[in-house]
Amino acid sequence: MRIDIITIFPEMFAGWFDHSIVKRARKKGLAEIHLHNLRDFATSKHRNVDDYPFGGGSGMVMMAQPIADCIDHLKKERNYDEVIFLTPDGEIFNQPMTNKLSLAENLIMLCGHYKGVDERIREHYVTMEVSIGNYVLSGGELAAAVICNSIIRLIPGVLSDETSALDDSFQDNLISPPVYTRPANFNGLKVPDVLLSGNEALIRQWRSVQALLRTRKRRPGMLED
Ligand code: SAM
C-alpha cells in the first residue's frame, strides 16, 4: 500500500512512522508513506498556502490552488482509491472503515490547518471525509497518523501473528476480553484459574463470555447493532 500525505508540517510525522509496527511494515516494503510539503506547490513569492476568508471573519483558509496542484501531480503518476480529507465534521473513523481502507492500494490524505480548506477542494477533489472524533485538533496531521497506524497494522504480513488483529476490539462487534501475563500471582492478585487450566475449549468459552460482558458494559450499543 502507498499513502501520500499532503501537509504543511511533514516533519511532524517523523516519530509516528519510525517505530514499532509501522516502521516494520515500511521496512518490509508492505507500506510506503510519502510526505508532500504543500508549500512546494505554492506559486506566490512567499510560498503562501492560506488566505483571508471571503466574507470576513477570524482565521485563515487553506487556498485551493496548491492543494489542487499537489493532488493533480500525484494523480498523474497513479490511480488512487480515495482522496481523504481529515476534518472534524467527516464520518467518524471506526474499525469497519479501517478494515476497508487496509485493502486499498493507493491513498491520499490531506491534512487541514487554520479554519480548514477552501470548500471547492472538498467538493471537487476529496472523495472521503474522515474525523477521528467529535473534537477539534489544530491540524489534520495527528488524525492522519492515527488512521495510517490503524490501517497499516491490518495489511497482510505486517503483524507477526495475523490472527491477532482478528480478535481485536471492534472486530465482530465485540470488545476484547481481558489479558494477563506472568506472574500468575502478582502481589496477591491472581490470574483467573481457567487461563492456567490448559483446557483450550474452556479458555475459548471464558474469553467469549468476557468479551460479551465487556461489550455489554462498555459499548452496549454495539450489541444492539
Ligand atoms: N474550523 C474547522 C471546523 O470547525 O470544522 C476546524 C479546523 S481545525 C482547527 C484545522 C484542521 O485540523 C482541519 O481542517 C482538519 O484537517 C484537522 N482536524 C481537526 N479536528 C479534527 C478531527 N477531529 N478529525 C480529523 N481532522 C481534524
Side-chain angles (χ1 to χ4, degrees):
M1 172 186 293
R2 176 185 167 116
I3 303 177
D4 290 275
I5 301 180
I6 304 173
T7 168
I8 54 172
F9 292 117
E11 61 282 2
M12 272 190 181
F13 289 91
W16 299 328
F17 294 154
D18 293 339
H19 298 278
S20 184
I21 284 167
V22 176
K23 178 183 175 187
R24 200 188 317 151
R26 295 176 72 193
K27 228 172 160 184
K28 283 184 175 173
L30 297 169
E32 271 181 41
I33 299 172
H34 297 262
L35 300 169
H36 304 277
N37 190 337
L38 193 58
R39 291 193 194 283
D40 294 341
F41 293 84
T43 49
S44 70
K45 192 172 144 204
H46 298 292
R47 300 172 81 209
N48 291 343
V49 291
D50 57 305
D51 209 335
Y52 293 98
F54 277 126
S58 63
M60 301 296 275
V61 177
M62 290 177 79
M63 294 153 67
Q65 171 269 315
I67 300 173
D69 286 358
C70 182
I71 294 175
D72 286 342
H73 164 77
L74 292 171
K75 279 184 169 172
K76 263 189 214 138
E77 304 289 321
R78 66 197 64 76
N79 291 323
Y80 283 90
D81 299 88
E82 299 285 358
V83 178
I84 301 172
F85 175 47
L86 291 318
T87 176
D89 61 357
E91 194 180 339
I92 302 283
F93 192 56
N94 59 19
Q95 196 64 37
M97 213 189 282
T98 197
N99 289 346
K100 191 167 164 228
L101 287 174
S102 72
L103 303 174
E105 268 181 44
N106 300 307
L107 296 171
I108 291 178
M109 294 196 189
L110 170 62
C111 305
H113 265 272
Y114 319 119
K115 296 295 281 180
V117 307
D118 188 303
E119 189 66 18
R120 290 165 289 188
I121 291 293
R122 297 178 67 166
E123 283 170 359
H124 299 287
Y125 286 81
V126 167
T127 60
M128 187 175 179
E129 298 195 326
V130 182
S131 165
I132 61 162
N134 288 340
Y135 45 82
V136 176
L137 302 163
S138 55
E141 285 75 12
L142 259 176
V146 165
I147 292 171
C148 285
N149 186 298
S150 167
I151 292 173
I152 288 172
R153 65 190 293 282
L154 295 180
I155 297 173
V158 170
L159 292 180
S160 39
D161 176 1
E162 280 175 28
T163 58
S164 160
L166 297 178
D167 57 21
D168 278 339
S169 290
F170 310 112
Q171 301 287 16
D172 294 332
N173 265 359
L174 286 173
I175 298 285
S176 275
V179 290
Y180 301 85
T181 187
R182 282 181 288 187
N185 184 336
F186 170 66
N187 295 343
L189 304 172
K190 292 188 181 154
V191 167
D193 287 340
V194 61
L195 295 179
L196 309 175
S197 69
N199 184 329
E200 284 184 23
L202 265 185
I203 293 172
R204 253 197 321 275
Q205 190 188 38
W206 180 84
R207 285 185 171 147
S208 301
V209 171
Q210 292 299 317
L212 270 169
L213 290 174
R214 283 212 155 183
T215 309
R216 194 170 68 186
K217 188 166 175 207
R218 296 169 188 226
R219 296 284 193 284
M222 266 167 42
L223 292 178
E224 282 155 27
D225 288 347

